[in-house]
Amino acid sequence: EEIMSQDTQIIAESKRQQLNFIIDSTVLDAFEVCPTEMKYRYIDSLALKGQGKAKGLEKGELIHIPLKHYYDGLKLGKDWKENTQYATEKMLKYSTKLQLEDKEIQNIITTFLSYCEFYRFERWSTLETEKPFRIVIYEDNELRIIAQGKIDLIVDTGQMITPVDHKSESQRYPFNENGNQPKCYC
């Protein structure tokens, strides 16, 4: 029985007399900080009055659109310039669905194009883009906890196959190697 919408990223279902609790790393991180706040936000879908979707989330969502198309194009061997232009067009089309100002969208386009130029001659081979996964992180007779997510990019560097997670934060934070996202990737 599904007790939440797919949008919330937590699904509880019952199969074979065992409760399957499916959760993504962001929600798992929130649970570790404050289980009550996690319940209010992700299970009860409560938000502070006047609080909509955070701009940072919309910006991150927007930059992922051209990156997926860009790397899919590289995987297919498309011309760099045409591929970059195509990915930018996809981003512009998607941007109309968001509440971002034109200046913010232009900033994201500039960031994307700078990224493409910087990595233009990178020797990585793209294997997968936006690859979904589910992994059992706990199980007993009554409960199974399944972490789910989506790896932005999987590449072959020539030395190893590795996941790549695109970050688009305007501020720099130290990487949390003990966070749930890198643990799930491993």
Side-chain angles (χ1 to χ4, degrees):
E1 170 189 352
E2 187 172 310
I3 63 168
M4 303 172 58
S5 74
Q6 291 286 359
D7 299 336
T8 58
Q9 303 166 341
I10 299 177
I11 302 166
E13 55 190 4
S14 152
K15 292 181 181 172
R16 295 177 281 138
Q17 305 301 327
Q18 184 183 46
L19 181 67
N20 289 326
F21 191 65
I22 303 169
I23 189 168
D24 87 351
S25 61
T26 305
V27 179
L28 192 54
D29 287 340
F31 176 79
E32 288 175 349
V33 171
C34 180
T36 303
E37 181 182 351
M38 185 280 299
K39 179 188 179 301
Y40 290 157
R41 179 177 293 162
Y42 295 103
I43 295 174
D44 299 337
S45 298
L46 300 176
L48 296 174
K49 188 175 182 178
Q51 185 182 43
K53 191 174 194 176
K55 274 196 180 201
L57 293 176
E58 285 199 335
K59 289 178 181 180
E61 187 177 332
L62 186 58
I63 193 73
H64 275 76
I65 299 299
L67 287 168
K68 178 187 178 355
H69 290 287
Y70 175 75
Y71 280 105
D72 282 344
L74 290 180
K75 185 177 176 181
L76 296 172
K78 289 186 177 177
D79 172 71
W80 181 83
K81 186 175 181 179
E82 289 176 21
N83 189 35
T84 305
Q85 184 177 1
Y86 175 76
T88 304
E89 289 168 5
K90 287 292 192 180
M91 175 176 28
L92 282 170
K93 184 175 181 181
Y94 190 81
S95 71
T96 61
K97 300 177 182 181
L98 303 175
Q99 302 298 315
L100 297 172
E101 297 173 19
D102 290 342
K103 180 181 175 184
E104 292 168 314
I105 294 168
Q106 188 57 50
N107 219 0
I108 294 167
I109 292 170
T110 301
T111 299
F112 170 68
L113 294 174
S114 296
Y115 174 94
C116 292
E117 186 63 41
F118 185 82
Y119 288 106
R120 183 175 184 175
F121 300 105
E122 183 63 60
R123 297 275 185 219
W124 294 349
S125 296
T126 302
L127 301 176
E128 300 275 354
T129 57
E130 300 291 325
K131 175 76 173 168
F133 68 87
R134 280 189 175 180
I135 185 168
V136 176
I137 58 174
Y138 174 82
E139 184 170 15
D140 64 24
N141 290 338
E142 297 172 1
L143 174 67
R144 181 165 53 179
I145 300 176
I146 302 168
Q148 73 177 3
K150 199 180 288 184
I151 300 173
D152 296 338
L153 181 63
I154 300 174
V155 299
D156 184 344
T157 67
Q159 296 178 324
M160 70 175 138
I161 294 174
T162 186
V164 176
D165 187 62
H166 304 303
K167 295 296 183 196
S168 58
E169 299 151 347
S170 56
Q171 297 178 356
R172 299 234 178 234
Y173 296 97
F175 175 71
N176 181 2
E177 62 189 35
N178 293 319
N180 289 300
Q181 186 179 38
K183 286 178 185 176
C184 287
Y185 284 6
C186 288

